[in-house]
Amino acid sequence: MRTVAFAFALLTAPLSAAAWEFSPVPICTLFHQDADVAVMVTYDPATGEYAIQLSREDGWPDAAVFSMRFEGQRGLTISTTRHVIEAEDTRTLTVRDRGFGNVLNGLNFNQRAVAVLGNLEVPVSLDGAAPAVEEFRACPTDQFVRSTWTAAIQAS
């Protein structure tokens, strides 16, 4: 739940530019605020788990399949039925997995991503994403302090 609150806080905070940003602390984090959506990709070395969270003020509809369509030189579409939208706060959609190569490649090598859930399509600009994605890929995972988010995941 803290991660959702963090993502929503970043979504609603004023930003000077719509840049892709990387942070290695407390876990590897890639963040981007677009016009209608905030995107946060994380990797927690303690669990070996990647997550992508997409937060939007108008929330997400209920649908069985979530897809990300990457448009550009290396276009591809990936889909899952394992997405989660919290019932009490539908503003953030989360997908977790142990492998994120296709997501990272999609973000790195294309011009636009489109999050698709039911009839809703939410575009995300990938301008400037490549350098931040490369930093994310090179994140020094052996230097991290265990975060409270990691402890909360392991407790559940």
Side-chain angles (χ1 to χ4, degrees):
M1 193 63 180
R2 286 181 189 211
T3 305
V4 172
F6 174 72
F8 186 70
L10 291 174
L11 173 66
T12 59
L15 296 174
S16 59
W20 284 85
E21 301 170 11
F22 166 76
S23 173
V25 181
I27 60 175
C28 302
T29 303
L30 180 63
F31 178 79
H32 175 69
Q33 174 70 56
D34 218 7
D36 296 322
V37 66
V39 179
M40 185 168 60
V41 178
T42 57
Y43 175 70
D44 187 341
T47 63
E49 187 173 70
Y50 291 87
I52 186 168
Q53 294 181 313
L54 297 107
S55 298
R56 56 188 302 272
E57 186 62 35
D58 293 334
W60 295 94
D62 186 33
V65 177
F66 170 72
S67 299
M68 286 286 289
R69 184 175 67 236
F70 296 100
E71 300 171 345
Q73 289 181 308
R74 289 183 159 178
L76 76 143
T77 300
I78 53 179
S79 300
T80 185
T81 59
R82 296 184 300 155
H83 60 286
V84 175
I85 301 169
E86 296 295 327
E88 65 274 1
D89 184 356
T90 63
R91 293 177 289 194
T92 300
L93 179 148
T94 304
V95 178
R96 297 182 195 291
D97 203 341
R98 294 205 176 272
F100 250 47
N102 284 335
V103 173
L104 296 176
N105 286 341
L107 296 172
N108 196 17
F109 300 115
N110 291 290
Q111 285 74 47
R112 185 170 100 142
V114 180
V116 181
L117 189 62
N119 292 327
L120 178 65
E121 293 193 2
V122 179
V124 178
S125 172
L126 299 179
D127 288 343
V133 172
E134 289 303 319
E135 286 183 276
F136 182 87
R137 289 183 199 263
C139 190
T141 58
D142 60 341
Q143 299 176 9
F144 295 111
V145 176
R146 235 170 101 91
S147 70
T148 54
W149 182 70
T150 302
I153 287 174
Q154 290 178 340
S156 60

